[in-house]
Amino acid sequence: MAAPFRAIFGRALDIALPTLCPACREQVRDGGLCPSCWSKLTMIAPPYCERLGIPFAYDPGPGVLSMQAISDPPAYNRARAAVRFDDIARALVHALKYGDRLDLAPVMGRWMARAGHELLKDADALIPVPLHWRRLWGRRFNQSALLSKTISQESGVPVADAAIKRIKATAQQVGLTQSERAQNVQGAFRVPPDHKAEVAGRRVVLIDDVLTSGATSDACARALLRAGASNVDLLVFARVVDAVQAPI
């Protein structure tokens, strides 16, 4: 009797509290975006910078880097993102983080798994970018951990939730310059001694929701490399793209 009851209750709940598109608030049948907003979402696909995943204006061939990757290389090896951080992507991220739309995490995580397939095929562990315990207590969940769970299910790569810890309660990065962001997260992350075995000699993929300046992910990557990680890549849902770049 339990399964039929749950099905009936679920249908009644869908009627009473219909799922809405996080961008335009139109009712959607299976969660995620409505068709109109879906058509406006900008997916990131090749050609792009081999290092940073920044889209190129044309295909220069394999292995070509962007100017940013050459002039200011990050601590992590490669970065990949599912979509550009535009108005629709921002609505999805904010609905997940601040609107308790946990139903969006599986959809977003599946897009990330497809975008990061080349990183995931050789990875030993997924490591979600951690929240400080105070922020985690206030939000009740870590959105990066939720995304990691779906990516793990899609790829078979295990999640190492406790492999890195945020030991400093940093200010919000929004509104800070690039140098201020880097200073804000300096010394904020550490691999606990009893979790170094999850990192040492392993190829890990950092998971986060948005890549803006890269200061947070760079600080995490440095902490993981100090703990002995053999390779650190980065996979995010959305990344800021100022302009489509020409390859170098």
Side-chain angles (χ1 to χ4, degrees):
M1 294 293 291
F5 177 78
R6 283 196 299 269
I8 294 170
F9 179 76
R11 284 195 294 270
L13 191 62
D14 288 341
I15 295 171
L17 298 170
T19 303
L20 303 179
C21 172
C24 70
R25 310 300 292 170
E26 286 290 325
Q27 185 172 341
V28 291
R29 181 179 179 84
D30 298 316
L33 295 167
C34 70
S36 176
C37 291
W38 165 258
S39 68
K40 300 173 186 175
L41 191 68
T42 306
M43 296 287 183
I44 293 178
Y48 47 56
C49 169
E50 181 68 22
R51 185 81 186 269
L52 299 181
I54 299 173
F56 283 149
Y58 60 89
D59 189 355
V64 177
L65 302 182
S66 62
M67 182 182 297
Q68 183 179 339
I70 295 171
S71 63
D72 188 22
Y76 49 84
N77 185 26
R78 296 171 294 174
R80 296 292 182 267
V83 302
R84 296 192 193 189
F85 191 58
D86 54 18
D87 290 342
I88 302 298
R90 182 184 292 106
L92 282 164
V93 170
H94 284 201
L96 172 62
K97 290 171 69 170
Y98 310 120
D100 286 336
R101 285 293 305 273
L102 307 190
D103 59 295
L104 295 173
V107 178
M108 296 163 67
R110 286 193 291 270
W111 294 343
M112 292 171 68
R114 286 195 290 270
H117 65 94
E118 61 183 314
L119 312 184
L120 299 169
K121 64 182 180 181
D122 298 321
D124 297 309
L126 307 176
I127 299 180
V129 171
L131 296 176
H132 189 265
W133 69 266
R134 292 176 186 169
R135 189 163 295 166
L136 181 60
W137 183 83
R139 191 176 294 169
R140 307 186 312 282
F141 64 89
N142 178 357
Q143 73 279 358
S144 298
L146 292 178
L147 295 169
S148 297
K149 181 179 179 181
T150 295
I151 296 168
S152 178
Q153 292 168 347
E154 293 290 310
S155 65
V157 181
V159 181
D161 291 285
I164 191 169
K165 185 177 181 181
R166 189 186 289 253
I167 58 175
K168 185 171 77 173
T170 56
Q172 290 278 4
Q173 297 277 67
V174 178
L176 300 181
T177 65
Q178 185 168 348
S179 60
E180 288 171 340
R181 286 170 181 256
Q183 186 176 3
N184 186 41
V185 295
Q186 187 174 4
F189 301 96
R190 183 183 67 187
V191 175
D194 55 339
H195 287 280
K196 284 189 176 181
E198 300 177 53
V199 173
R202 309 189 78 194
R203 301 176 63 88
V204 301
V205 179
L206 270 171
I207 305 296
D208 207 359
D209 54 352
V210 178
L211 175 61
T212 50
S213 70
T216 297
S217 49
D218 207 62
C220 286
R222 292 181 189 280
L224 292 166
L225 291 169
R226 285 195 300 268
S230 64
N231 184 78
V232 180
D233 290 321
L234 173 66
L235 178 57
V236 300
F237 171 67
R239 70 161 299 138
V240 172
V241 178
D242 295 328
V244 177
Q245 296 195 10
I248 299 300

